[in-house]
Amino acid sequence: MNKEYYGKLIYELSRPGRKGADIPSNGCGESISSIPASLLRAEEPELPQVDEPTVVRHYTNMSNNNFGVDTGFYPLGSCTMKYNPKINEEMAAHPAFASLHPAAPASTVQGALEAYWTLQEALAEIGGMAAFTLNPFAGAHGELTGLMVIRAYHDSRGDDKRTKVIVPDSAHGTNPASAAVAGLKVVEVKSLPDGTVDVDALAALLDDTVAAVMMTNPNTAGLFESNVAKIADMVHAAGGLMYYDGANLNPMLGIARPGDMGFDVMHINLHKTFSTPHGGGGPGSGPVGVRAGLEQFLPNPKVVKLDDGTFDIVSGDEALGSISATLGNFGVQLRALSYILSLGKEGLAEAGKLATLNANYIKESLRDLYKLPIDRVCKHEFVFDGLADKSTGVTTLNVAKRLLDYGFHAPTIYFPLLFHESLMIEPTETESKETLDSFIDAMRAIAKEAAENPEMVKNAPHTTPVRRPDDTAAALNPVVKWNDLKAQAK
Amino acid sequence: MAHRYFPHTQADIDAMLERCGVTSPEQLYDDVPQELRLKNGYALPSALTEKEVRDYFNSLGAKNTPLTCFAGGGFYHRYTPSVIPAILSRSEFLTSYTPYQPEISQGTLQYIFEYQSMMTELTGLDVSNASMYDGATATAEAMMMSVAATRKRDTVLVSSTLNPKVLDVVKTYARYHRINLEMIESEGGVTSLGDMKGKLAASKVAGVILPQPNYFGIIEDLTGFAEAIHEAGALMIMNCIPADLAVLRTPGEWGADIAAGDAQSLGMPLAYGGPYLGFLCCTKALIRKMPGRIVGATEDINGNRTFVLTLQAREQHIRRDKATSNICSNQGLMALHTAVYLSLLGPKGLREVCTASADGAHYLADRLQATGKMQLKYPDKPFLNEFLMVCRFNVEDLLRVCIENEILAGIKVSDNEILIAVTEMQSRKDIDRLIDIVSTTNFPQL
Amino acid sequence: MSKTYYSNTHEYAVVDGDIALIGISDFAQKALGNVVYVDMPEVGDEVEAGEDFGAVESVKAASDLISPVTGEVIEINEKLEDNPRLVNEDCMANWIIKVKISDPSQLDALMDEEAYKTFCENESAH
């Protein structure tokens, strides 16, 4: 692609008088002159004026500067970048759902409500929970909703001194941020050298101010917390609830359910475990499940199945409130439903095991060249602490950037915060042995390059459309729109 | 078991197990205590073939009733040009991750930059983020942002003319985030300036949330609001319908500090509630307090224009519990939807969308009034494409008869009030059908 | 005559009478890299020893500023608003806030130049 010619902004392709769409006219006469001029904008907005073919070529060329699951492998820890089936896309865009208004009476949207209800019941079965809401828009939104459920539960018992949420130091950054938004205070509990929760340290923190303990299991180092049932007993004895961060649910499919591990509240990232596309950052979906006894606190509105087999939308007085104006990202929910139906119960169980096998295979194939700080069987992901040979000065960031030259996305780096040079790899189940072998070869080649030509690795990437952007300049002097760019050029 | 999504042959699995030093995949789960295990598999159906999945969704779809849509309430039936689904289905956009690796994410980063440029133009403000979940949560985030930006203030005022669905979400966030929310009274269908001034004087207010147009479709005259709010040291937050900003005076022109709302009105399919997109724009002074991702332009080592995620140190993955918000994702693909929509329509096209919708709405309102059975609740207030009618009959009766005629007549606000919206999607014939139903049906009088 | 104290979170306090200039140490600015933003309190705010009063941001990190002393903010270094990089150029000359100390005995808990130097050597070795 000729970057000079095609690499422009849509604004730079704009010419007065061009248009890319026509608007239906209803011939109903003119009304805008009835509105006082003081309520109208002074100038028309500066939007691009472009014809349809130019718009199509512009965005198609832009897409070529992007990496996606359909173009290559993402060894991206904690993100579960699995294949996004095509049938899901078609079902989500089904014309029978596309023009339903969210305020339409329940009697006219029975199919949509049945889809919502069927997915919520399937997730309850998979999570080992009594009930689910699909309303939260993303994982972080689910976390927030789940923590609100926990506060609503404690409030309902008049227990208002529970303001603490305990999270392991290996937790996702969203955990403490969600707790803060929900008006709770985060206390970190440290991990043992093997990366799992220090049960004694946790016990010391448990008192009558603890609202909940948030855990992900397997944890962010990919390790199953075998003590989870014991931890749950301790937390429950102290009057707290157990929250399951479902970001790492994928390897547990068919093996064990959060509800059976002792968790009371959980969220699931449909864009991870249930194959809905990441879309360059969203839309996601973060359904929240609760054990029996907490259903009433789930947010309004709720979808229920009535005795006559029809579906309805209801609101409850004990609910934590509403966290969305609608029933959530419905299109994302349809994709997840399509995926669950496509895999079936056997396929779901197979997915979990293959994800774990793929991760262990990579770990065992690279452990001689990369530092493995925790030598245990992992689940869906694992963490290296950078290259084994620390003498070259080549960092985890350098390795990640060099991988781009080999045609792979970078792994998750500098997370979890347990190690200085964390490099976290999660292959998912939809990658073939050949792909994994190519990735392993690339990682081994990079280790060799680091020893023989460290400067070259430090200057990576070398072959990408852009190289080593100046982040500091971007942050010091934010240029965040077309008009800023024009002002800068002057 | 082989499934079409899994590439593994038995030979592959055997070779991989050998490398891992185990003999079965189950052995990799030895650390999961037996008593925690799922014993008999999920109580779920077995796999469906692709055709069976399709048949299933077709059968669900058949249970929905397609209706000509006069319902609005913040979400409008709009035309989506066919270019948009074509571009959005590009795998390179659809299946990509968050653009943390700018070297291989210039496509995503550039469309977000274009989106930000367009949203700042519509709102007349300096900065847009890369988008939020939906309009209600974006408004709640704006509320939290005002509290974070003004320090030591925890009261936020909200106009009672705000969309109740948005208000519900704002209330939830306020309750858990310990923000004291107070309602500003309305007067003749619009926010009372006097009541707001009184409440600004009574407590230390961080922000004031005002809708435009408001829930009743009325374009509020906000003259004097910004001055009063700023004098009290608070921030002015406007909840807007962005398509309408093609013609309406912008939040920037009104003197707002923050604008938030749902961008569904910019050509997004109704899709029974989502995915849509929440937008959030603010003045330059507030950029560091703005939640969510922001894309900035810079240069790479070869001097090429390059887009990157910038000001990331504000965000949850770095600031953890000190971040303004816990938001992690954005509505990425829907930001692309918005950028492509606005590129196709341009300023003239978007204006036509607004005017065609308004023309239809005014035509419909006039003729419904002429039936003598309904009248505008606020006849002296200006509106664009949505209006509140008071009926001499029960709204439920109208809704029922209309559904029998495959029409969704609007949103019931009370037993005798209905909110009706028109867009470019309803033809004159559709509009006349609704008028005809009202004039010819013999509704029992209330 | 002023005296310089350091905290184990790498802030310094240059104290003259009951006035302290508070900033981040050379060790801290090097560890953080290019500073792109300094989040400062307002004049008149109270700061408390051991509590955060703001943050310094680099491109991909943020570090809370922990006050070594309790007192009232009487001045902020406004130059840092437009040019945060001054912290990298000369962190001692470019203090962040000026505080009127309310409890001088808190200074006893801080390190002097020599003790801080040893502290940093141990941190680097870690």
Side-chain angles (χ1 to χ4, degrees):
Chain A
M1 179 185 127
N2 180 335
K3 197 178 158 70
E4 229 14 69
Y5 187 69
Y6 296 115
K8 295 187 166 73
L9 282 166
I10 191 75
Y11 275 97
E12 293 165 308
L13 304 171
S14 174
R15 298 291 178 273
R18 285 186 185 151
K19 65 167 189 177
D22 39 29
I23 310 305
S25 157
N26 48 27
C28 286
E30 196 276 338
S31 66
I32 206 88
S33 57
S34 71
I35 298 167
S38 61
L39 300 180
L40 303 177
R41 62 186 296 154
E43 288 171 28
E44 70 178 24
E46 189 184 351
L47 297 172
Q49 301 187 43
V50 207
D51 55 282
E52 182 175 325
T54 301
V55 170
V56 170
R57 186 171 288 164
H58 173 71
Y59 286 103
T60 304
N61 275 309
M62 253 165 69
S63 76
N64 290 334
N65 288 334
N66 245 20
F67 190 94
V69 172
D70 283 4
T71 59
F73 171 45
Y74 277 85
L76 199 60
S78 262
C79 298
T80 317
M81 296 295 289
K82 60 171 72 175
Y83 170 66
N84 310 139
K86 299 304 162 194
I87 181 73
N88 299 356
E89 296 308 310
E90 223 183 306
M91 295 307 101
H94 199 295
F97 297 100
S99 53
L100 299 180
H101 192 282
S107 64
T108 65
V109 291
Q110 285 293 301
L113 295 178
E114 184 173 343
Y116 184 104
W117 186 86
T118 306
L119 179 61
Q120 95 187 355
E121 295 305 301
L123 295 181
E125 170 63 15
I126 291 166
M129 294 282 157
F132 256 87
T133 174
L134 311 183
N135 297 2
F137 291 111
H141 201 219
E143 268 178 30
L144 177 60
T145 305
L147 289 167
M148 288 173 172
V149 167
I150 289 167
R151 271 198 63 195
Y153 160 75
H154 290 307
D155 287 351
S156 74
R157 295 159 45 249
D159 190 352
D160 54 7
K161 42 181 195 310
R162 293 187 183 269
T163 54
K164 272 194 327 212
V165 174
I166 300 176
V167 301
D169 55 6
S170 59
H172 294 112
T174 48
N175 290 175
S178 299
V181 172
L184 295 162
K185 206 175 137 43
V186 171
V187 180
E188 279 196 0
V189 58
K190 63 179 178 19
S191 301
L192 293 168
D194 75 352
T196 57
V197 171
D198 183 335
V199 177
D200 295 331
L202 176 65
L205 293 172
L206 291 175
D207 57 24
D208 62 359
T209 66
V210 172
V213 172
M214 293 180 92
M215 284 176 70
T216 174
N217 197 14
N219 65 24
T220 59
L223 306 173
F224 188 80
E225 301 269 4
S226 303
N227 285 323
V228 61
K230 186 179 165 194
I231 292 173
D233 286 345
M234 285 162 46
V235 173
H236 290 149
L241 296 182
M242 287 284 285
Y243 184 90
Y244 184 84
D245 172 348
N248 295 348
L249 179 66
N250 200 43
M252 301 318 292
L253 289 177
I255 302 287
R257 309 188 302 175
D260 299 333
M261 297 178 203
F263 288 97
D264 305 291
V265 183
M266 69 179 291
H267 83 264
I268 290 176
N269 303 71
L270 293 185
H271 48 285
K272 294 181 180 179
T273 309
F274 295 100
S275 86
T276 73
H278 276 66
S285 178
V288 168
V290 294
R291 65 151 164 81
L294 297 174
E295 302 95 326
Q296 64 272 35
F297 303 116
L298 287 173
N300 292 328
K302 307 169 193 241
V303 175
V304 293
K305 187 173 186 177
L306 304 176
D307 292 341
D308 66 0
T310 62
F311 300 88
D312 202 3
I313 304 168
V314 298
S315 286
D317 293 340
E318 288 181 86
L320 63 88
S322 298
I323 48 90
S324 58
T326 65
L327 287 165
N329 280 336
F330 183 69
V332 180
Q333 297 160 14
L334 291 179
R335 289 176 173 94
L337 178 58
S338 166
Y339 178 73
I340 289 172
L341 294 170
S342 298
L343 278 190
K345 60 181 169 185
E346 301 89 353
L348 289 170
E350 194 72 7
K353 276 187 256 181
L354 291 175
T356 294
L357 178 61
N358 276 2
N360 279 283
Y361 179 69
I362 296 177
K363 174 169 67 74
E364 293 304 314
S365 304
L366 291 171
R367 57 180 297 161
D368 55 331
L369 295 177
Y370 290 82
K371 185 177 169 191
L372 186 63
I374 302 169
D375 189 5
R376 259 181 69 175
V377 167
C378 67
K379 292 297 164 286
H380 62 305
E381 67 189 6
F382 64 94
V383 183
F384 283 132
D385 188 7
L387 281 158
D389 180 359
K390 300 289 181 204
S391 69
T392 63
V394 171
T395 64
T396 280
L397 176 65
N398 302 148
V399 172
K401 293 296 182 190
R402 183 63 181 144
L403 269 172
L404 307 182
D405 287 330
Y406 281 90
F408 297 105
H409 195 276
T412 295
I413 56 174
Y414 301 107
F415 184 85
L417 308 176
L418 300 172
F419 314 108
H420 286 299
E421 291 287 315
S422 286
L423 189 152
M424 188 192 203
I425 294 172
E426 176 182 8
T428 85
E429 70 279 7
T430 56
E431 297 300 334
S432 68
K433 180 170 178 295
E434 292 93 314
T435 300
L436 303 184
D437 286 337
S438 313
F439 174 71
I440 290 163
D441 289 347
M443 288 288 281
R444 300 191 71 86
I446 292 169
K448 193 157 176 261
E449 290 167 354
E452 290 169 357
N453 189 358
E455 285 313 304
M456 188 273 287
V457 182
K458 287 178 192 173
N459 288 318
H462 298 277
T463 59
T464 48
V466 298
R467 291 183 54 218
R468 305 177 72 201
D470 187 348
D471 289 316
T472 307
L476 274 173
N477 180 23
V479 173
V480 296
K481 59 181 187 292
W482 167 235
N483 268 326
D484 295 348
L485 268 180
K486 280 197 296 188
Q488 198 184 38
K490 270 180 196 163
Chain B
M1 188 203 88
H3 188 280
R4 65 184 181 280
Y5 299 158
F6 306 146
H8 301 67
T9 65
Q10 192 55 49
D12 290 340
I13 292 173
D14 292 344
M16 292 167 76
L17 288 170
E18 196 185 336
R19 175 86 48 98
C20 298
V22 293
T23 52
S24 75
E26 286 73 20
Q27 243 183 301
L28 298 170
Y29 288 91
D30 278 353
D31 52 358
V32 180
Q34 280 304 323
E35 63 272 21
L36 302 186
R37 303 280 188 113
L38 178 66
K39 297 296 180 305
N40 299 310
Y42 295 130
L44 290 173
S46 290
L48 300 186
T49 63
E50 192 174 299
K51 179 180 177 296
E52 287 166 337
V53 171
R54 186 181 296 278
D55 291 344
Y56 173 76
F57 277 88
N58 286 341
S59 73
L60 286 184
K63 297 177 186 174
N64 297 327
T65 313
L67 302 171
T68 299
C69 184
F70 290 94
F75 307 120
Y76 304 91
H77 190 200
R78 284 265 139 87
Y79 186 71
T80 309
S82 57
V83 169
I84 299 177
I87 296 294
L88 261 64
S89 65
R90 292 284 303 186
S91 283
E92 299 88 337
F93 287 133
L94 181 71
T95 70
S96 65
Y97 184 63
T98 305
Y100 289 132
Q101 301 291 332
E103 294 90 342
I104 53 171
S105 312
Q106 285 300 302
T108 301
L109 290 162
Q110 186 175 332
Y111 78 61
I112 293 174
F113 187 87
E114 293 179 348
Y115 161 84
Q116 290 174 178
S117 302
M118 295 171 191
M119 293 314 294
T120 54
E121 277 299 318
L122 284 180
T123 57
L125 288 167
D126 303 321
V127 186
S128 165
N129 73 4
S131 75
M132 316 293 285
Y133 306 133
D134 76 337
T137 57
T139 308
E141 294 273 2
M143 167 188 70
M144 295 199 293
M145 194 177 154
S146 72
V147 170
T150 54
R151 293 167 193 253
K152 294 172 243 156
R153 292 176 173 226
D154 61 358
T155 296
V156 171
L157 308 183
V158 187
S159 169
S160 42
T161 63
L162 181 69
N163 186 325
K165 296 268 185 199
V166 177
L167 179 62
D168 278 349
V169 176
V170 168
K171 275 184 178 165
T172 304
Y173 275 71
R175 172 180 163 201
Y176 289 92
H177 205 55
R178 301 197 168 87
I179 293 170
N180 173 35
L181 214 56
E182 286 183 36
M183 303 304 296
I184 307 168
E185 285 170 18
S186 68
E187 236 174 63
V190 297
T191 314
S192 161
L193 179 61
D195 191 52
M196 182 189 77
K197 283 181 174 169
K199 283 177 173 135
L200 281 171
S203 47
K204 290 238 167 203
V205 173
V208 179
I209 304 175
L210 303 167
Q212 186 75 310
N214 72 22
Y215 183 57
F216 314 120
I218 296 170
I219 308 165
E220 295 207 17
D221 184 348
L222 297 174
T223 306
F225 279 73
E227 293 75 5
I229 292 167
H230 292 149
E231 209 163 282
L235 298 176
M236 175 167 163
I237 301 164
M238 286 179 66
N239 171 280
C240 301
I241 294 166
D244 297 352
L245 294 175
V247 296
L248 293 186
R249 186 167 172 168
T250 65
E253 287 172 315
W254 284 116
D257 303 281
I258 306 173
D262 207 299
Q264 185 280 330
S265 62
L266 297 173
M268 289 177 203
L270 285 166
Y272 200 52
Y276 302 154
L277 174 148
F279 73 92
L280 189 62
C281 295
C282 68
T283 58
K284 201 168 179 187
L286 291 172
I287 187 170
R288 298 271 171 184
K289 296 293 174 195
M290 175 175 258
R293 295 173 185 147
I294 299 175
V295 170
T298 186
E299 286 188 348
D300 79 347
I301 201 164
N302 298 324
N304 293 315
R305 181 166 69 200
T306 302
F307 300 98
V308 294
L309 289 175
T310 192
L311 308 182
Q312 286 191 76
R314 301 166 298 114
E315 291 184 72
Q316 51 74 30
H317 62 284
I318 293 174
R319 290 313 299 277
R320 297 169 80 90
D321 57 323
K322 299 244 166 42
T324 310
S325 164
N326 72 324
I327 195 162
C328 182
S329 58
N330 61 347
Q331 296 282 103
L333 208 62
M334 304 316 284
L336 176 61
H337 198 293
T338 306
V340 179
Y341 180 78
L342 291 174
S343 297
L344 290 166
L345 269 75
K348 305 278 186 296
L350 194 64
R351 188 188 164 82
E352 281 175 45
V353 164
C354 278
T355 52
S357 303
D359 295 346
H362 284 256
Y363 172 92
L364 175 59
D366 288 348
R367 279 153 186 79
L368 288 177
Q369 294 211 96
T371 64
K373 299 177 178 178
M374 301 170 98
Q375 61 190 52
L376 280 166
K377 172 136 187 203
Y378 304 108
D380 57 339
K381 294 291 191 307
F383 65 94
L384 270 178
N385 71 318
E386 192 161 21
F387 52 91
L388 184 63
M389 292 299 256
V390 184
C391 313
R392 302 175 68 176
F393 47 83
N394 195 314
V395 168
E396 290 289 351
D397 292 334
L398 172 65
L399 286 170
R400 197 191 63 252
V401 174
C402 284
I403 286 170
E404 286 162 11
N405 288 280
E406 295 177 341
I407 289 173
L408 180 54
I411 296 177
K412 180 183 166 183
V413 171
S414 70
D415 282 346
N416 69 337
E417 290 172 324
I418 184 169
L419 193 59
I420 300 175
V422 180
T423 69
E424 77 280 12
M425 293 297 279
Q426 294 87 44
S427 65
R428 170 91 167 263
K429 211 171 130 197
D430 295 328
I431 298 171
D432 287 338
R433 269 173 60 219
L434 177 56
I435 297 162
D436 191 50
I437 289 170
V438 173
S439 58
T440 59
T441 311
N442 205 359
F443 296 110
Q445 291 218 358
L446 269 184
Chain C
M1 185 58 200
S2 64
K3 188 170 178 219
T4 307
Y5 298 87
Y6 292 89
S7 69
N8 58 10
T9 49
H10 303 285
E11 287 84 10
Y12 65 75
V14 178
V15 180
D16 192 351
D18 62 350
I19 302 298
L21 298 174
I22 295 169
I24 63 168
S25 72
D26 193 51
F27 181 92
Q29 71 82 11
K30 278 188 182 134
L32 198 61
N34 289 336
V35 173
V36 296
Y37 180 63
V38 185
D39 187 14
M40 291 181 277
E42 286 164 18
V43 171
D45 284 2
E46 295 289 327
V47 294
E48 213 172 306
E51 298 288 321
D52 65 273
F53 65 85
V56 266
E57 292 179 7
S58 68
V59 169
K60 281 174 183 158
S63 177
D64 285 333
L65 292 164
I66 312 290
S67 182
V69 296
T70 298
E72 185 194 336
V73 179
I74 54 174
E75 197 179 334
I76 60 168
N77 187 354
E78 286 172 1
K79 279 186 295 180
L80 299 179
E81 285 171 0
D82 290 331
N83 197 358
R85 279 176 298 189
L86 292 172
V87 172
N88 295 114
E89 284 167 21
D90 186 344
C91 62
M92 297 308 288
N94 291 290
W95 48 271
I96 295 168
I97 54 171
K98 190 186 276 186
V99 174
K100 189 169 190 306
I101 304 175
S102 57
D103 180 6
S105 72
Q106 287 172 338
L107 297 171
D108 299 341
L110 301 171
M111 289 174 270
D112 65 11
E113 196 100 48
E114 204 54 34
Y116 180 66
K117 210 176 139 198
T118 315
F119 177 76
C120 289
E121 278 160 13
N122 289 337
E123 286 259 301
S124 313
H126 175 67

